[in-house]
Amino acid sequence: MLARAGHTEACCDLAQLAGLYPAAVLCEIMKDDGSMARLPDLLEFSKHHGLKIASIADLIRHRSQNESLIKRITERTVQTRFGPFQLVAYLEKLTGETQLALVRGEISPDKETLVRVHAPLSVLDLLETGPGTHSWPVDDALERIAAEGRGVMVLLNCAESAAQLIERVASPERPDAPARMDFLTYGIGAQILRDLKVGKMRLMASPRKMPSMAGWELEVTGYVEKAARTRD
């Protein structure tokens, strides 16, 4: 659940939290008319049959309060062309990969923070400033955060293989490709943001359907889009 917020993962987590083997049967409850029961229907169903009910957000909140899949390793101030940023390095416990975050200003959960989650990160993203495979190039995102005075840029999946780099060099622009949402990275990114004291966040990205952030006590207050973009 801390890596991917899905119903399948929730089932296995519940079994494991109960001290059992992490396996479960997942099923949907149907209403009398054959349609799938939604939360209001499930609340009535649980009340009628004396069953306990919990949401995925509840499970994520419980686990995030008691464990973490990331570890803050080190940090220091770095000078960029847009001024100083605090560079924070994290170790992802599941894979051993390193994730990075750049922070400007004082971050507080109750203040809206400008946030950019950039994934995957390629070395070419640090060289190219024109349109590419991300709607917000690294330079543009850092410039916007610097102008705002407070914000966070998270750089995920920093380990780029030789094959991935060659593919990026051969096909630097794919404007017609649909935006890909890697739900496996949401949990890691969310934990990094919470460790940095982010609460309310305005995302530098195109609006999209996302898993609930409530379990990590994160709230998306809006989106900041660039006028000319390819894909996020």
Side-chain angles (χ1 to χ4, degrees):
M1 286 297 299
L2 296 184
R4 184 182 188 277
H7 291 86
T8 305
E9 290 78 9
C11 290
C12 295
D13 278 11
L14 280 173
Q16 189 169 28
L17 287 171
L20 305 173
Y21 186 79
V25 176
L26 173 65
C27 66
E28 291 183 351
I29 296 177
M30 311 300 291
K31 297 194 296 183
D32 292 339
D33 62 4
S35 61
M36 185 176 68
R38 300 296 181 180
L39 181 58
D41 308 306
L42 295 174
L43 292 173
E44 288 296 324
F45 183 88
S46 64
K47 182 178 180 180
H48 178 75
H49 293 281
L51 301 173
K52 295 184 181 297
I53 189 169
S55 67
I56 288 181
D58 293 331
L59 184 55
I60 291 174
R61 187 177 296 109
H62 172 79
R63 288 199 59 189
S64 64
Q65 290 173 350
N66 293 276
E67 57 185 298
S68 175
L69 297 182
I70 61 166
K71 180 180 180 181
R72 187 187 288 217
I73 301 299
T74 188
E75 60 184 279
R76 67 180 176 90
T77 301
V78 294
Q79 292 293 332
T80 74
R81 58 181 296 206
F82 307 110
F85 279 79
Q86 191 71 8
L87 176 64
V88 187
Y90 291 90
L91 178 69
E92 186 180 335
K93 297 178 182 179
L94 288 178
T95 63
E97 294 182 353
T98 301
Q99 318 290 4
L100 302 174
L102 288 161
V103 183
R104 169 66 70 89
E106 184 178 348
I107 308 301
S108 174
D110 59 344
K111 294 182 179 179
E112 189 179 67
T113 302
L114 190 61
V115 171
R116 169 65 184 169
V117 178
H118 193 95
L121 175 69
S122 168
V123 65
L124 293 182
D125 294 336
L126 308 178
L127 301 175
E128 295 183 314
T129 58
T133 57
H134 295 275
S135 63
W136 278 93
V138 172
D139 263 17
D140 290 358
L142 291 179
E143 183 177 21
R144 180 62 183 264
I145 291 174
E148 187 92 359
R150 182 176 67 249
V152 173
M153 183 169 190
V154 180
L155 304 172
L156 296 176
N157 302 336
C158 302
E160 185 177 30
S161 69
Q164 290 170 328
L165 178 56
I166 291 173
E167 181 184 1
R168 284 292 303 273
V169 172
S171 304
E173 297 183 17
R174 289 168 288 176
D176 296 329
R180 293 184 304 169
M181 294 186 294
D182 186 356
F183 290 100
L184 294 176
T185 66
Y186 275 130
I188 300 300
Q191 290 174 74
I192 290 175
L193 291 171
R194 285 303 299 141
D195 182 74
L196 295 171
K197 309 303 182 185
V198 174
K200 299 178 180 179
M201 56 183 182
R202 198 163 81 257
L203 293 181
M204 301 171 68
S206 55
R208 77 277 307 282
K209 183 179 180 180
M210 294 177 57
S212 173
M213 296 285 104
W216 286 285
E217 298 180 343
L218 294 170
E219 177 188 355
V220 178
T221 58
Y223 294 87
V224 180
E225 298 184 77
K226 284 183 65 65
R229 69 177 187 273
T230 53
R231 71 182 186 95
D232 200 60

